[in-house]
Amino acid sequence: MEDLLAVEGLETQFRMREGVVYAVNGVSFRLKEGETLGVVGESGCGKSVTVMSMLGLIPTPPGEVVAGTALYNGQDLLKMSNDELRRVRGSHISIIFQDPMTSFNPVLTIGRQIAEPLETHLEMTKKEAWDRGAEVLELVGIPNARQRLNDYPHQFSGGMRQRAMIAMALTCDPAILIADEPTTALDVTIQAQIIDLVNRLQDKLGMAIIWITHDLGVVAGLAQRVNVMYGGYIVEQATVDELYANPQHPYTIGLLGSLPRLDIEQHQKLASIDGLPPVLYEKPTCCPFAPRCAYRVDRCLQENPPLQFVGLDHYAACWVDPATGKERA
């Protein structure tokens, strides 16, 4: 199957008063049709900036994409004009944001905001757009969908607002749906409902999904493949089964160790990762995780490891084999 999206060597920097922030440092990944790709890492690791850079959504200035390509159906998103990108956003690639309360316009009805991309991208009449709006609200499980089109965002609960945000993202039948931590602000019951909803919608509509999260537990039930990010780099890439069964980067091992599990003793404490994430005012010349790593060797403090093959469809940026504690051959 051919790649629907191919990102290669993406680098994004922010020129701040305090200096240059090296937010994304040579990120490369692939997304195939109908696939779900999880992107995991703690806050500030570059997850959201990566996808925002592709879609021309980072504030410029201070942000700037300084290198890389992002080929969607063979066309480089990074070389498109603002008008060309506007035609792609919403119609071909849609995004669900973390907090729907700040993503919706509070003074426009939900119906007006859902209808706008339909009128813009598909040139629908107001009535056609309104009918489609009711259809997608019903699709995401909002009762009395046609009546609720006349409501404002504050009249929806948190879970219902997120459903409405998903509906708006799906109106133009995009090929790729980007979900940027869409369940973070919701309680666990509503989180489970939203994840189940997205799974069912993908089965029905066949879109590819990039799901951004800091929670490896969420990714387990959603994704086929996972990118683990740290310090603006992808430090591990693998299928979801392989990543959970055989993590090959110390950071991934730390993330998995911090998850609550049913198969461990009750008195056992959850693991934690000592230290703090790197301050990215300097581009790392050594492994960005080295200061926090229990497996580090001298080479980790001298060279930044590239992603290297460690198993079937499995790559890790680490000089050391965590299973043996010895440097990789």
Side-chain angles (χ1 to χ4, degrees):
M1 194 185 295
E2 286 194 12
D3 295 326
L4 182 61
L5 178 69
V7 176
E8 197 71 44
L10 180 65
E11 294 187 28
T12 302
Q13 300 172 3
F14 291 86
R15 300 187 182 280
M16 314 297 284
R17 190 179 307 170
E18 299 85 354
V20 177
V21 177
Y22 295 89
V24 176
N25 300 305
V27 164
S28 302
F29 64 89
R30 303 281 187 272
L31 180 71
K32 298 189 183 301
E33 288 183 21
E35 178 183 44
T36 299
L37 173 68
V39 183
V40 180
E42 59 199 308
S43 297
C45 71
K47 307 184 301 293
S48 298
V49 174
T50 296
V51 295
M52 296 295 190
S53 299
M54 292 185 328
L55 296 176
L57 292 174
I58 59 167
T60 307
E64 183 186 3
V65 178
V66 297
T69 57
L71 299 180
Y72 167 68
N73 279 339
Q75 293 185 296
D76 191 353
L77 297 170
L78 303 181
K79 290 184 178 164
M80 289 184 179
S81 66
N82 285 333
D83 285 342
E84 288 171 325
L85 270 175
R86 269 195 290 270
R87 284 193 285 272
V88 170
R89 290 194 300 255
S91 58
H92 296 273
I93 304 175
S94 284
I95 188 163
I96 310 166
F97 292 103
Q98 182 171 338
D99 183 1
M101 195 64 218
T102 56
S103 303
F104 279 120
N105 187 325
V107 298
L108 296 178
T109 64
I110 292 289
R112 179 69 239 135
Q113 294 181 68
I114 289 177
E116 184 179 356
L118 293 166
E119 293 169 20
T120 302
H121 294 300
L122 303 183
E123 298 181 352
M124 286 187 177
T125 64
K126 188 173 181 180
K127 182 183 184 308
E128 287 170 337
W130 212 254
D131 289 343
R132 173 65 176 159
E135 189 183 313
V136 291
L137 281 189
E138 201 168 302
L139 184 68
V140 299
I142 293 181
N144 305 315
R146 187 166 290 276
Q147 288 80 9
R148 302 236 55 186
L149 288 170
N150 296 306
D151 288 346
Y152 290 87
H154 72 270
Q155 294 174 277
F156 285 70
S157 67
M160 285 298 175
R161 266 197 303 273
Q162 197 57 280
R163 286 172 183 264
M165 174 63 70
I166 293 168
M168 189 161 76
L170 296 178
T171 50
C172 298
D173 292 326
I176 300 173
L177 178 68
I178 297 171
D180 188 5
E181 304 208 43
T183 60
T184 298
L186 306 174
D187 65 57
V188 288
T189 308
I190 305 300
Q191 276 187 29
Q193 290 175 9
I194 295 296
I195 291 165
D196 179 60
L197 170 65
V198 172
N199 268 329
R200 285 188 286 108
L201 289 172
Q202 185 182 33
D203 289 342
K204 185 171 184 176
L205 304 174
M207 63 205 166
I209 296 174
I210 299 175
W211 189 283
I212 298 169
T213 182
H214 59 269
D215 188 348
L216 269 167
V218 168
V219 166
L222 267 174
Q224 285 88 52
R225 286 190 305 119
V226 186
N227 289 343
V228 180
M229 289 192 70
Y230 186 83
Y233 294 89
I234 292 176
V235 295
E236 188 160 6
Q237 290 179 327
T239 62
V240 69
D241 291 340
E242 174 69 10
L243 189 89
Y244 281 75
N246 187 29
Q248 289 292 303
H249 194 281
Y251 179 58
T252 312
I253 292 168
L255 288 178
L256 287 170
S258 67
L259 286 177
R261 295 171 54 147
L262 294 174
D263 60 346
I264 62 173
E265 298 290 332
Q266 228 176 4
H267 63 271
Q268 244 179 290
K269 288 185 177 179
L270 293 176
S272 62
I273 303 173
D274 293 335
L276 296 170
V279 177
L280 294 173
Y281 283 120
E282 291 182 11
K283 195 170 184 178
T285 53
C286 64
C287 174
F289 190 63
R292 306 173 72 182
C293 184
Y295 297 87
R296 70 175 176 264
V297 294
D298 290 344
R299 193 177 184 186
C300 303
L301 301 169
Q302 295 159 2
E303 291 180 77
N304 193 355
L307 276 173
Q308 50 191 312
F309 180 80
V310 293
L312 184 62
D313 202 18
H314 194 164
Y315 299 84
C318 185
W319 296 123
V320 177
D321 180 348
T324 64
K326 296 177 181 177
E327 285 194 50
R328 298 185 194 276

